[in-house]
Amino acid sequence: MNAAQSRTMVAKNLFTVNRTLNSVKQSSKYASVVIRKHSVWTEDRVIKSPYKEVELPNVSLYNYVWQNLDRWPERTASVCAVTGRGYTYEQAFRLSNRFGANLRTKFNICDGDSVAVMLPNLPDFPLIAMGILAAGGVITSINPIYTAHEVQRQLKMSVAKAIVTLPEIVPVIKEAFKIAKINIPIIVVRTNNNPIPEGTALFNELSEDIHTDKSVLRQVSRNPNDICFLPYSSGTTGLPKGVELSHRNIMSNCEQINDPLLSMHNETTANHQDCVIGVLPFFHIYAATVLMFHKLSIGAKLVALAKFQSETFLKTIEKQKTNILMVAPPLILMMASHPASTEKIFEHVDVVCSGAAPLAASDVERLFQRTKRDIEFRQGYGLTETSPTVSLSPKGSKRYEATGPPIGSTEIRIVDSDLNNLGPNETGEILVRGPQVMRGYRDNPQANTESFTADGWFRTGDLAVADEEGTITVADRLKELIKVKGFQVPPAELESLLREHPSVNDAAVIGVPHQSKGETPKAFVVLKDGHKCTERQISEFVNEKVAAYKHVDDITFIDSIPKSAAGKILRRVLKDKYC
């Protein structure tokens, strides 16, 4: 098939995309830049964005991502960093549509139904995500290293109607089914010639079935305010909660980072295609929005790295001529110190963007010592609840520790403990309002009341300071989450497991600095009277129930847990006394 025939076929298949986006493609508003001339600080001490207001087409995220597909059908959409197995944009569109149609016809997935995706970064991941959206479903992503205990909780809370995973993960999922007393279809992705587990369906067959009736997709009816993505986050405290992100939330965030003064990508043309490594997990909001959905919408090449290994990651940067690196602080630290990290590795890298946790300017400088040049470096701030980006340092910024002012259509307040607005150079909690802020936590009115003010501002639980220009520097976290390699570890979850041990009377968990992980959990345990137990026994009891990044290997036995009059654990007291 030549290029002309390929473009014709894609154009014929885009029955929903072209119908809704013809008028949008004629608009020049996407390229307009309007920069505020007045101060970003209002008289009421609210920080307004200096960037253009975001305007969105009245479509779903599915239509938004595919809107310019006819410009790059033969370009690579996703490819495996190790095997080279991958898909062109034309193949990704066609296969994801067939998968979506089969979700509706063979698995009875209806508009608004949740479909769980428990996969590492595979080139198939974007196809599966887009297929779920094509079917009118909601993606609920699960960390593939989760235990059965963790999986069953999310399956029940999300009311998932099916799950997509790897054959080797099926035993964990079936154990989760037993715990939760549920039974839903399991769809597996075959990456080799091994047989698939009995009783499962094969994604490869569902997506490649040429007899699939794709006309059922015309029955899908989703509007921008409907939920499309349901990741689970611990918010400011407690156990994981379903974060309801709408099509509008994620599309807004994609458009916000498209601003010409903020964008980190280049136009896909006959002579150029950006290359981005998918090393951050696609099941996490940072990679889901900023890497997967956004990069598909601009025709970039996604290189999927299923399992992180330092040397493989570095070699992939060089081999793929990667020009955009989207990473988290632990990767910055690794690249700045690994023996194989050389000037040649980063030869084609134009921009590095760090997110998920604060990063010091000195760490960036150490990276530049490896690259032998000052690569464009950007730092972003955001949360799962904000799709995720709230602020991003602009092009050319040399303030490496800062995350810039709020992005387009976004407002920020820095407040004290009584929610009174603070001014420039005063440290307080960040409150956010904008089109990327979640609709709320699923089926959790108490958490929503605690996380939103009466007038609709989202409380991030993060401490920051903003200067006279509205540039934000994140100082610390009010919330108690521990960030291990960018992943959120809620102390409450580990404390609950610790207290389940027959010899434990009480427990508290805090995050302590770790050279390679950023932070790691440290537990304080009070034993029951007359009981004896070792650190190793307690660690094994907890660690077999949680993913590896949540493991508790640092335990201190104490006589009592310091608590406030209201019974809240005084974690700062523990840090000051023992750390």
Side-chain angles (χ1 to χ4, degrees):
M1 180 182 294
N2 60 36
Q5 291 172 323
S6 175
R7 289 176 185 273
T8 300
M9 188 179 83
V10 171
K12 288 180 179 179
N13 282 331
L14 286 171
F15 55 85
T16 53
V17 179
N18 288 335
R19 184 165 61 231
T20 53
L21 283 164
N22 280 339
S23 61
V24 175
K25 288 185 179 181
Q26 302 301 318
S27 173
S28 61
K29 291 180 180 178
Y30 275 85
S32 65
V33 184
V34 178
I35 300 297
R36 286 189 171 87
K37 301 298 182 182
H38 56 78
S39 171
V40 296
W41 287 88
T42 69
E43 292 183 2
D44 296 330
R45 293 186 167 186
V46 173
I47 306 172
K48 297 278 190 179
S49 173
Y51 304 109
K52 67 174 183 177
E53 295 293 319
V54 173
E55 295 188 27
L56 295 174
N58 187 33
V59 298
S60 68
L61 176 61
Y62 166 86
N63 287 338
Y64 175 85
V65 168
W66 294 130
Q67 64 179 307
N68 290 314
L69 177 64
D70 57 342
R71 292 173 50 189
W72 41 70
E74 295 180 333
R75 287 288 193 180
T76 299
S78 60
V79 63
C80 175
V82 177
T83 67
R85 183 177 66 86
Y87 304 96
T88 66
Y89 271 87
E90 177 189 339
Q91 290 170 331
F93 177 79
R94 186 178 67 246
L95 296 174
S96 63
N97 269 261
R98 288 177 184 163
F99 178 57
N102 278 317
L103 284 177
R104 288 187 76 94
T105 57
K106 296 181 179 179
F107 300 95
N108 298 316
I109 298 301
C110 299
D111 291 358
D113 284 346
S114 294
V115 178
V117 181
M118 188 177 177
L119 289 170
N121 284 10
L122 302 176
D124 316 82
F125 199 121
L127 279 66
I128 290 162
M130 293 305 294
I132 294 170
L133 296 182
V138 174
I139 305 160
T140 185
S141 52
I142 303 178
N143 190 330
I145 65 172
Y146 268 7
T147 65
H149 180 78
E150 294 165 310
V151 173
Q152 64 88 23
R153 180 195 298 135
Q154 186 166 333
L155 292 178
K156 286 170 63 178
M157 293 176 70
S158 65
V159 196
K161 298 297 179 65
I163 184 168
V164 186
T165 191
L166 289 176
E168 54 266 37
I169 300 177
V170 169
V172 174
I173 291 173
K174 288 188 174 180
E175 180 62 27
F177 286 178
K178 291 180 182 178
I179 298 172
K181 298 179 181 179
I182 60 173
N183 187 24
I184 59 176
I186 301 175
I187 301 168
V188 296
V189 180
R190 175 183 278 163
T191 59
N192 49 44
N193 294 323
N194 293 340
I196 67 170
E198 184 179 353
T200 63
L202 186 60
F203 163 75
N204 311 68
E205 291 180 352
L206 295 169
S207 61
E208 295 170 8
D209 182 5
I210 61 174
H211 301 295
T212 301
D213 178 15
K214 292 189 289 185
S215 67
V216 298
L217 298 182
R218 296 193 183 107
Q219 301 169 8
V220 174
S221 179
R222 305 295 283 162
N223 70 62
N225 291 319
D226 288 329
I227 304 304
C228 70
F229 196 50
L230 186 66
Y232 274 72
S233 167
S234 298
T236 54
T237 58
L239 295 173
K241 296 178 280 288
V243 177
E244 295 187 320
L245 297 176
S246 68
H247 295 263
R248 179 174 179 264
N249 289 150
I250 295 178
M251 287 191 296
S252 295
N253 220 219
C254 289
E255 278 302 296
Q256 287 165 321
I257 62 176
N258 272 345
D259 189 288
L261 298 178
L262 295 173
S263 66
M264 290 173 279
H265 67 273
N266 304 283
E267 183 181 357
T268 301
T269 66
N271 301 314
H272 177 81
Q273 182 186 28
D274 283 341
C275 179
V276 187
I277 295 182
V279 60
L280 301 174
F282 291 149
F283 62 79
H284 188 276
I285 188 61
Y286 179 6
T289 295
V290 180
L291 268 83
M292 186 169 64
F293 294 127
H294 178 262
K295 297 305 177 285
L296 288 176
S297 75
I298 55 98
K301 176 183 180 180
L302 280 175
V303 181
L305 195 60
K307 183 179 180 181
F308 176 76
Q309 293 177 324
S310 299
E311 291 190 3
T312 302
F313 172 63
L314 293 171
K315 288 178 180 177
T316 300
I317 294 174
E318 181 181 12
K319 179 181 178 181
Q320 294 287 343
K321 298 182 179 180
T322 305
N323 66 312
I324 301 173
L325 283 178
M326 314 295 293
V327 294
L331 285 172
I332 297 286
L333 300 178
M334 183 278 292
M335 290 188 291
S337 61
H338 197 283
S341 185
T342 64
E343 177 183 3
K344 192 173 186 300
I345 293 289
F346 304 100
E347 180 181 0
H348 299 281
V349 175
D350 298 320
V351 60
V352 176
C353 181
S354 179
L359 184 71
S362 58
D363 295 323
V364 181
E365 296 290 353
R366 280 194 287 272
L367 174 63
F368 290 164
Q369 291 173 12
R370 292 281 178 168
T371 64
K372 305 297 184 185
R373 60 190 175 98
D374 289 357
I375 294 171
E376 175 85 4
F377 180 84
R378 317 284 286 283
Q379 185 164 189
Y381 165 70
L383 308 92
T384 302
E385 292 84 350
T386 57
S387 302
T389 314
V390 170
S391 64
L392 177 64
S393 54
K395 289 179 178 179
S397 173
K398 298 297 182 181
R399 293 187 56 184
Y400 300 135
E401 79 289 350
T403 66
I407 56 179
S409 299
T410 303
E411 299 172 290
I412 284 178
R413 292 164 56 197
I414 307 293
V415 302
D416 62 19
S417 58
D418 295 319
L419 300 185
N420 296 314
N421 288 356
L422 300 175
N425 304 313
E426 294 181 298
T427 301
E429 182 185 0
I430 305 173
L431 272 59
V432 180
R433 188 163 64 183
Q436 73 272 45
V437 177
M438 67 170 180
R439 283 186 27 174
Y441 295 114
R442 172 158 292 191
D443 299 327
N444 201 329
Q446 179 180 347
N448 289 327
T449 300
E450 293 171 352
S451 300
F452 285 93
T453 64
D455 52 350
W457 289 84
F458 174 67
R459 300 190 60 176
T460 68
D462 290 325
L463 285 172
V465 60
D467 65 13
E468 290 82 357
E469 296 177 349
T471 297
I472 295 163
T473 301
V474 179
D476 201 350
R477 287 191 299 278
L478 277 176
K479 58 188 177 184
E480 299 164 348
L481 288 176
I482 304 165
K483 287 258 184 118
V484 181
K485 294 185 175 180
F487 295 121
Q488 298 176 341
V489 179
E493 179 182 7
L494 297 177
E495 289 159 358
S496 176
L497 289 173
L498 284 163
R499 286 192 290 267
E500 289 179 9
H501 191 284
S503 295
V504 173
N505 183 49
D506 202 359
V509 176
I510 63 172
V512 295
H514 190 278
Q515 186 174 4
S516 62
K517 299 178 184 178
E519 284 187 311
T520 191
K522 176 180 177 62
F524 297 88
V525 171
V526 179
L527 294 177
K528 293 178 180 177
D529 290 341
H531 284 247
K532 291 184 178 180
C533 201
T534 66
E535 293 180 28
R536 182 175 178 179
Q537 287 172 325
I538 293 178
S539 290
E540 289 176 349
F541 177 84
V542 173
N543 294 351
E544 68 178 10
K545 296 178 174 63
V546 295
Y549 68 85
K550 297 180 184 178
H551 282 187
V552 179
D553 299 311
D554 185 358
I555 297 175
T556 298
F557 293 103
I558 58 178
D559 294 330
S560 63
I561 303 295
K563 296 181 180 179
S564 69
K568 184 176 181 180
I569 295 172
L570 299 175
R571 301 182 199 280
R572 175 56 60 187
V573 173
L574 291 171
K575 287 189 176 185
D576 292 344
K577 186 174 182 179
Y578 296 100
C579 301

